[in-house]
Amino acid sequence: MTTTFSYNHLFAFTESVFRGIGCPEDDATLATEVLLSADLRGIDSHGVARLTGYVRLWEAGRINATPRVGIVHETPSTAVVDGDGGLGLVVAPKAMAIALEKARLVGTGWVSVKNSNHFGIAGYHAMKALAHDMIGIAMTNASPLVAPTNSLDRLLGTNPIAVAIPAGDQPDFVADFATTTAANGKLEIAQRKQKPLPEGWVQNADGSGSTDANAVKNGGALLPLGGETGSHKGYCLGSVVDIFSAVLSGANYGPWVPPFVAFLQPPADPVGQGLGHFFGAMRVDAFRPADEFKAHMDNWITTFRNAKAVPGQQVLVPGDPEREMAAVRLLDGIPLLDPVLKDLESVGAKFGLKL
């Protein structure tokens, strides 16, 4: 069963919760905008369903509600940002803003972040470049729930990559995907719905395939993108994200990444600080005139969207489903599954709030 709420209703509630944990007003508003962007775009696994997780991390003393986010090293086109243990929902947009400003000044900007936490959907951050006629890139490492190809050990996160590219008359190109067959949040949705998983998403603790939505909880692992014959490609992509986000910045990497769930303690022997992110911004006119580029992007998008489709199917351009979902949910509201609703009602009660 689901209950539908308007975007504005959920925004006010979520913002109040972030204020309740001590976030300054601007940070609470920013964190809410980032979090709800996932629900609007149909990525329910990373939206308000995660709000209770952030609150539990704060209660466990693992999130700083009033961080002093700042640059600790930089060149004209690069920077390392220390998130001071803050919400990734706040740290990441501030780091992306630094990348955008550097790109404005010198053509490109590259920012690696340490000492942060889960930053919501990667696509939100990459898309911040679009309004400036820039290409945006966003990556982050995550809780180690993924077994590299041929491994039983969980050494990587779902480690998403997002790339946003501006177009002219056509909707912008926005690719946002985990480097695993499925994001961990999709397992959580399957658990709430009490449904099995498709084959190829997870393995059991002994390495055998499984369709059990609780396999990872029971010692199994998520699998890299690519399936039986191509998982080495997803493994490589996830590794690149981990290195760019953490080895480059000084954050924790591999099995040392602190878990998102508060009931699991971070490793006792950290190799860095917090979670890591990586952001890039490239001014289009650093390569060719922006209008010329966007006209050709329109042609590219139109060509792919008009490709002859398999009978009964439709050829999509990255970003199409999310954009269409956002338009619907702004009008019709955002549906919440009953387990999510109960979680939100519980967390609201902690701060005297009613959903």
Side-chain angles (χ1 to χ4, degrees), residues 2-315:
T2 63
T3 305
T4 300
F5 294 86
S6 72
Y7 173 80
N8 289 338
H9 184 96
L10 286 179
F11 196 102
F13 174 82
T14 303
E15 186 178 37
S16 296
V17 170
F18 283 129
R19 292 285 301 275
I21 69 172
C23 291
E25 184 173 352
D26 288 349
D27 284 1
T29 301
L30 179 58
T32 301
E33 180 182 312
V34 177
L35 196 64
L36 284 183
S37 70
D39 293 292
L40 275 184
R41 293 175 68 78
I43 309 172
D44 297 336
S45 56
H46 286 59
V48 290
R50 288 280 173 95
L51 181 59
T52 55
Y54 292 109
V55 172
R56 292 187 187 110
L57 285 175
W58 170 75
E59 290 174 329
R62 288 169 50 193
I63 281 182
N64 176 9
T66 56
R68 298 182 65 180
V69 180
I71 296 171
V72 293
H73 177 75
E74 67 178 324
T75 71
S77 63
T78 67
V80 175
V81 166
D82 187 330
D84 195 25
L87 282 164
L89 304 169
V90 172
V91 176
K94 294 182 178 182
M96 186 61 183
I98 293 169
L100 291 170
E101 177 61 13
K102 286 184 175 292
R104 185 185 71 82
L105 293 173
V106 299
T108 67
W110 306 95
V111 176
S112 199
V113 180
K114 65 178 179 178
N115 204 7
S116 185
N117 283 282
H118 191 279
F119 77 177
I121 57 169
Y124 173 91
H125 309 295
M127 289 171 67
K128 282 298 178 182
L130 296 173
H132 305 280
D133 279 350
M134 296 185 194
I135 295 170
I137 299 170
M139 309 177 190
T140 185
N141 65 2
S143 307
L145 299 173
V146 182
T149 301
N150 299 329
S151 173
L152 294 178
D153 291 333
R154 305 193 305 197
L155 299 178
L156 288 170
T158 53
N159 295 9
I161 300 171
V163 179
I165 304 173
D169 296 329
Q170 291 294 317
D172 301 314
F173 176 107
V174 181
D176 182 3
F177 57 95
T179 53
T180 48
T181 306
N184 185 53
K186 291 190 176 181
L187 272 62
E188 295 169 351
I189 291 173
Q191 291 160 14
R192 295 179 194 121
K193 293 182 176 181
Q194 298 183 337
K195 291 187 174 182
L197 303 176
E199 293 184 4
W201 282 23
V202 298
Q203 66 182 26
N204 289 315
D206 63 2
S208 61
S210 176
T211 59
D212 181 4
N214 293 295
V216 176
K217 285 185 175 181
N218 296 328
L222 288 161
L223 294 173
L225 186 65
E228 289 186 11
T229 60
S231 67
H232 59 287
K233 298 179 181 179
Y235 169 29
C236 289
L237 286 171
S239 300
V240 168
V241 173
D242 201 31
I243 293 165
F244 277 32
S245 299
V247 180
L248 201 56
S249 68
N252 288 292
Y253 48 82
W256 291 279
V257 176
F260 178 72
V261 291
F263 61 83
L264 293 177
Q265 290 299 312
D269 57 342
V271 292
Q273 293 177 283
L275 209 72
H277 317 310
F278 184 81
F279 303 100
M282 298 186 290
R283 229 172 56 204
V284 168
D285 67 4
F287 298 87
R288 68 188 300 188
D291 289 346
E292 181 180 292
F293 171 84
K294 291 195 290 185
H296 281 280
M297 276 303 300
D298 284 349
N299 186 45
W300 190 98
I301 289 167
T302 302
T303 299
F304 277 74
R305 190 172 286 126
N306 293 338
K308 187 175 181 180
V310 172
Q313 300 297 322
Q314 179 185 6
V315 179

